[in-house]
Short mmCIF file of all heavy atoms in Angstrom, two decimals:
data_model
loop_
_atom_site.label_atom_id
_atom_site.label_comp_id
_atom_site.label_asym_id
_atom_site.label_seq_id
_atom_site.Cartn_x
_atom_site.Cartn_y
_atom_site.Cartn_z
N ALA A 1 -147.41 29.37 173.49
CA ALA A 1 -148.32 30.47 173.84
C ALA A 1 -149.25 30.05 174.97
O ALA A 1 -149.49 30.82 175.90
CB ALA A 1 -149.11 30.90 172.61
N MET A 2 -149.76 28.83 174.91
CA MET A 2 -150.65 28.35 175.96
C MET A 2 -149.91 28.23 177.29
O MET A 2 -150.45 28.58 178.34
CB MET A 2 -151.26 26.99 175.58
CG MET A 2 -152.36 27.09 174.55
SD MET A 2 -153.79 28.04 175.11
CE MET A 2 -154.37 27.03 176.45
N GLU A 3 -148.68 27.76 177.24
CA GLU A 3 -147.88 27.63 178.46
C GLU A 3 -147.65 29.01 179.10
O GLU A 3 -147.80 29.17 180.31
CB GLU A 3 -146.54 26.96 178.13
CG GLU A 3 -145.70 26.66 179.34
CD GLU A 3 -144.44 25.90 178.97
OE1 GLU A 3 -144.54 24.89 178.25
OE2 GLU A 3 -143.35 26.33 179.40
N ARG A 4 -147.30 29.98 178.28
CA ARG A 4 -147.08 31.34 178.79
C ARG A 4 -148.38 31.92 179.34
O ARG A 4 -148.39 32.58 180.38
CB ARG A 4 -146.50 32.24 177.69
CG ARG A 4 -146.32 33.67 178.11
CD ARG A 4 -145.29 33.81 179.22
NE ARG A 4 -145.23 35.21 179.65
CZ ARG A 4 -145.20 35.60 180.91
NH1 ARG A 4 -145.14 34.73 181.89
NH2 ARG A 4 -145.18 36.88 181.21
N LEU A 5 -149.48 31.66 178.66
CA LEU A 5 -150.78 32.14 179.12
C LEU A 5 -151.13 31.55 180.48
O LEU A 5 -151.62 32.26 181.37
CB LEU A 5 -151.86 31.79 178.09
CG LEU A 5 -153.25 32.36 178.30
CD1 LEU A 5 -153.22 33.88 178.44
CD2 LEU A 5 -154.16 31.97 177.14
N GLU A 6 -150.82 30.28 180.68
CA GLU A 6 -151.05 29.64 181.98
C GLU A 6 -150.20 30.29 183.07
O GLU A 6 -150.67 30.50 184.19
CB GLU A 6 -150.76 28.14 181.90
CG GLU A 6 -151.81 27.38 181.10
CD GLU A 6 -151.45 25.91 180.90
OE1 GLU A 6 -150.50 25.43 181.55
OE2 GLU A 6 -152.12 25.26 180.09
N GLU A 7 -148.95 30.62 182.73
CA GLU A 7 -148.07 31.30 183.69
C GLU A 7 -148.64 32.66 184.08
O GLU A 7 -148.62 33.04 185.26
CB GLU A 7 -146.68 31.49 183.09
CG GLU A 7 -145.90 30.22 182.90
CD GLU A 7 -144.61 30.44 182.12
OE1 GLU A 7 -144.31 31.60 181.73
OE2 GLU A 7 -143.91 29.44 181.86
N ILE A 8 -149.15 33.38 183.10
CA ILE A 8 -149.73 34.70 183.36
C ILE A 8 -150.95 34.58 184.26
O ILE A 8 -151.10 35.34 185.23
CB ILE A 8 -150.09 35.40 182.03
CG1 ILE A 8 -148.80 35.79 181.31
CG2 ILE A 8 -150.98 36.61 182.27
CD1 ILE A 8 -149.00 36.29 179.90
N VAL A 9 -151.81 33.61 183.97
CA VAL A 9 -153.01 33.42 184.78
C VAL A 9 -152.63 33.12 186.22
O VAL A 9 -153.19 33.68 187.16
CB VAL A 9 -153.91 32.31 184.19
CG1 VAL A 9 -155.00 31.92 185.15
CG2 VAL A 9 -154.50 32.76 182.86
N GLN A 10 -151.66 32.23 186.41
CA GLN A 10 -151.22 31.90 187.77
C GLN A 10 -150.67 33.13 188.49
O GLN A 10 -150.94 33.34 189.67
CB GLN A 10 -150.17 30.79 187.73
CG GLN A 10 -150.75 29.45 187.35
CD GLN A 10 -149.67 28.37 187.18
OE1 GLN A 10 -148.49 28.63 187.31
NE2 GLN A 10 -150.12 27.15 186.90
N GLY A 11 -149.90 33.94 187.77
CA GLY A 11 -149.35 35.15 188.36
C GLY A 11 -150.43 36.13 188.77
O GLY A 11 -150.38 36.73 189.85
N LEU A 12 -151.43 36.27 187.91
CA LEU A 12 -152.53 37.19 188.22
C LEU A 12 -153.39 36.67 189.36
O LEU A 12 -153.85 37.44 190.20
CB LEU A 12 -153.38 37.45 186.97
CG LEU A 12 -152.72 38.27 185.86
CD1 LEU A 12 -153.58 38.27 184.61
CD2 LEU A 12 -152.44 39.68 186.33
N GLU A 13 -153.62 35.37 189.38
CA GLU A 13 -154.42 34.78 190.45
C GLU A 13 -153.71 34.87 191.80
O GLU A 13 -154.37 34.93 192.84
CB GLU A 13 -154.77 33.32 190.13
CG GLU A 13 -155.82 33.19 189.05
CD GLU A 13 -156.13 31.74 188.71
OE1 GLU A 13 -155.31 30.84 189.04
OE2 GLU A 13 -157.17 31.50 188.10
N GLY A 14 -152.38 34.88 191.77
CA GLY A 14 -151.62 34.97 193.01
C GLY A 14 -151.83 36.30 193.72
O GLY A 14 -151.71 36.38 194.94
N GLY A 15 -152.15 37.34 192.97
CA GLY A 15 -152.46 38.63 193.55
C GLY A 15 -151.27 39.34 194.16
O GLY A 15 -151.45 40.29 194.92
N GLU A 16 -150.06 38.92 193.86
CA GLU A 16 -148.88 39.53 194.47
C GLU A 16 -148.18 40.53 193.55
O GLU A 16 -147.22 41.18 193.97
CB GLU A 16 -147.90 38.44 194.90
CG GLU A 16 -148.47 37.54 195.97
CD GLU A 16 -147.53 36.43 196.39
OE1 GLU A 16 -146.34 36.50 196.05
OE2 GLU A 16 -148.00 35.48 197.04
N LEU A 17 -148.67 40.68 192.32
CA LEU A 17 -148.04 41.61 191.40
C LEU A 17 -148.54 43.03 191.65
O LEU A 17 -149.71 43.23 191.97
CB LEU A 17 -148.38 41.23 189.94
CG LEU A 17 -147.82 39.93 189.40
CD1 LEU A 17 -148.40 39.64 188.01
CD2 LEU A 17 -146.31 39.99 189.31
N PRO A 18 -147.66 44.01 191.48
CA PRO A 18 -148.12 45.39 191.54
C PRO A 18 -149.12 45.66 190.41
O PRO A 18 -149.12 44.95 189.39
CB PRO A 18 -146.85 46.21 191.34
CG PRO A 18 -145.71 45.28 191.56
CD PRO A 18 -146.23 43.91 191.27
N LEU A 19 -149.94 46.67 190.57
CA LEU A 19 -150.98 46.96 189.59
C LEU A 19 -150.42 47.14 188.18
O LEU A 19 -150.95 46.58 187.23
CB LEU A 19 -151.77 48.20 190.00
CG LEU A 19 -152.89 48.62 189.05
CD1 LEU A 19 -153.93 47.50 188.91
CD2 LEU A 19 -153.55 49.90 189.53
N SER A 20 -149.34 47.89 188.05
CA SER A 20 -148.77 48.13 186.72
C SER A 20 -148.31 46.83 186.07
O SER A 20 -148.52 46.61 184.87
CB SER A 20 -147.63 49.14 186.78
OG SER A 20 -146.58 48.64 187.58
N ASP A 21 -147.70 45.93 186.85
CA ASP A 21 -147.27 44.64 186.32
C ASP A 21 -148.47 43.75 185.98
O ASP A 21 -148.44 43.02 184.99
CB ASP A 21 -146.35 43.92 187.30
CG ASP A 21 -144.99 44.60 187.45
OD1 ASP A 21 -144.65 45.44 186.58
OD2 ASP A 21 -144.28 44.29 188.43
N SER A 22 -149.50 43.84 186.80
CA SER A 22 -150.72 43.08 186.53
C SER A 22 -151.34 43.51 185.21
O SER A 22 -151.78 42.67 184.42
CB SER A 22 -151.74 43.26 187.66
OG SER A 22 -151.28 42.67 188.84
N LEU A 23 -151.37 44.81 184.97
CA LEU A 23 -151.94 45.32 183.71
C LEU A 23 -151.12 44.88 182.51
O LEU A 23 -151.67 44.48 181.48
CB LEU A 23 -152.05 46.84 183.75
CG LEU A 23 -153.13 47.38 184.69
CD1 LEU A 23 -153.02 48.90 184.78
CD2 LEU A 23 -154.51 46.96 184.24
N LYS A 24 -149.79 44.92 182.64
CA LYS A 24 -148.93 44.45 181.55
C LYS A 24 -149.15 42.96 181.29
O LYS A 24 -149.23 42.52 180.15
CB LYS A 24 -147.46 44.71 181.88
CG LYS A 24 -147.07 46.16 181.80
CD LYS A 24 -145.61 46.35 182.18
CE LYS A 24 -145.26 47.83 182.26
NZ LYS A 24 -143.90 48.05 182.75
N SER A 25 -149.24 42.18 182.36
CA SER A 25 -149.47 40.74 182.21
C SER A 25 -150.83 40.46 181.58
O SER A 25 -150.96 39.59 180.73
CB SER A 25 -149.39 40.05 183.58
OG SER A 25 -148.07 40.07 184.06
N PHE A 26 -151.83 41.23 182.02
CA PHE A 26 -153.17 41.05 181.47
C PHE A 26 -153.18 41.34 179.97
O PHE A 26 -153.75 40.59 179.18
CB PHE A 26 -154.17 41.96 182.19
CG PHE A 26 -155.57 41.82 181.69
CD1 PHE A 26 -156.35 40.75 182.07
CD2 PHE A 26 -156.10 42.76 180.82
CE1 PHE A 26 -157.65 40.61 181.60
CE2 PHE A 26 -157.39 42.63 180.34
CZ PHE A 26 -158.17 41.55 180.73
N GLU A 27 -152.49 42.42 179.58
CA GLU A 27 -152.42 42.79 178.17
C GLU A 27 -151.71 41.69 177.36
O GLU A 27 -152.18 41.30 176.28
CB GLU A 27 -151.69 44.11 178.01
CG GLU A 27 -151.71 44.66 176.61
CD GLU A 27 -151.07 46.03 176.50
OE1 GLU A 27 -150.62 46.59 177.53
OE2 GLU A 27 -151.02 46.55 175.38
N GLU A 28 -150.61 41.19 177.89
CA GLU A 28 -149.90 40.10 177.21
C GLU A 28 -150.79 38.87 177.12
O GLU A 28 -150.85 38.20 176.08
CB GLU A 28 -148.61 39.76 177.96
CG GLU A 28 -147.82 38.65 177.29
CD GLU A 28 -146.59 38.21 178.07
OE1 GLU A 28 -146.29 38.80 179.13
OE2 GLU A 28 -145.94 37.26 177.61
N GLY A 29 -151.51 38.58 178.18
CA GLY A 29 -152.42 37.44 178.18
C GLY A 29 -153.52 37.57 177.14
O GLY A 29 -153.87 36.59 176.48
N MET A 30 -154.06 38.76 177.00
CA MET A 30 -155.09 38.97 175.98
C MET A 30 -154.54 38.76 174.58
O MET A 30 -155.20 38.15 173.74
CB MET A 30 -155.69 40.38 176.11
CG MET A 30 -156.51 40.58 177.37
SD MET A 30 -157.89 39.42 177.52
CE MET A 30 -158.90 39.92 176.15
N ASP A 31 -153.32 39.25 174.34
CA ASP A 31 -152.69 39.03 173.03
C ASP A 31 -152.47 37.53 172.77
O ASP A 31 -152.71 37.04 171.67
CB ASP A 31 -151.35 39.76 172.94
CG ASP A 31 -151.52 41.27 172.84
OD1 ASP A 31 -152.62 41.75 172.49
OD2 ASP A 31 -150.53 41.98 173.12
N LEU A 32 -152.01 36.82 173.79
CA LEU A 32 -151.80 35.39 173.65
C LEU A 32 -153.11 34.64 173.43
O LEU A 32 -153.17 33.71 172.62
CB LEU A 32 -151.08 34.84 174.90
CG LEU A 32 -149.62 35.22 175.04
CD1 LEU A 32 -149.11 34.87 176.43
CD2 LEU A 32 -148.77 34.53 173.98
N ALA A 33 -154.16 35.05 174.14
CA ALA A 33 -155.46 34.41 173.97
C ALA A 33 -155.98 34.61 172.55
O ALA A 33 -156.52 33.67 171.93
CB ALA A 33 -156.46 34.96 174.99
N LYS A 34 -155.80 35.79 171.99
CA LYS A 34 -156.22 36.06 170.61
C LYS A 34 -155.41 35.21 169.64
O LYS A 34 -155.96 34.64 168.70
CB LYS A 34 -156.05 37.54 170.28
CG LYS A 34 -157.06 38.42 170.97
CD LYS A 34 -156.79 39.89 170.68
CE LYS A 34 -157.68 40.78 171.52
NZ LYS A 34 -157.37 42.21 171.33
N PHE A 35 -154.09 35.13 169.87
CA PHE A 35 -153.23 34.32 169.03
C PHE A 35 -153.69 32.85 169.04
O PHE A 35 -153.84 32.23 168.00
CB PHE A 35 -151.77 34.42 169.49
CG PHE A 35 -150.86 33.41 168.86
CD1 PHE A 35 -150.37 33.60 167.58
CD2 PHE A 35 -150.50 32.24 169.54
CE1 PHE A 35 -149.54 32.65 166.99
CE2 PHE A 35 -149.67 31.31 168.96
CZ PHE A 35 -149.19 31.51 167.68
N CYS A 36 -153.92 32.32 170.25
CA CYS A 36 -154.34 30.92 170.38
C CYS A 36 -155.69 30.69 169.71
O CYS A 36 -155.90 29.67 169.06
CB CYS A 36 -154.40 30.52 171.86
SG CYS A 36 -152.78 30.40 172.63
N SER A 37 -156.58 31.64 169.85
CA SER A 37 -157.89 31.52 169.22
C SER A 37 -157.76 31.47 167.70
O SER A 37 -158.40 30.65 167.04
CB SER A 37 -158.78 32.69 169.64
OG SER A 37 -160.03 32.61 169.02
#
């Protein structure tokens, strides 16, 4: 989960994802962050 969360953060920081993909990634990242917590 932490590895996937790191991948998501890198993808979002890259700024190359379309808005809809960014929102999906952000949502997945939030779920992963809650799981890790």
Side-chain angles (χ1 to χ4, degrees):
M2 284 297 296
E3 186 175 310
R4 177 65 184 135
L5 188 54
E6 289 174 11
E7 291 171 1
I8 290 171
V9 169
Q10 289 175 357
L12 290 172
E13 286 178 342
E16 296 178 14
L17 293 173
L19 180 60
S20 61
D21 291 344
S22 293
L23 289 172
K24 287 178 187 175
S25 291
F26 181 78
E27 187 175 359
E28 181 184 357
M30 291 302 295
D31 288 342
L32 288 168
K34 289 176 188 176
F35 168 80
C36 290
S37 178

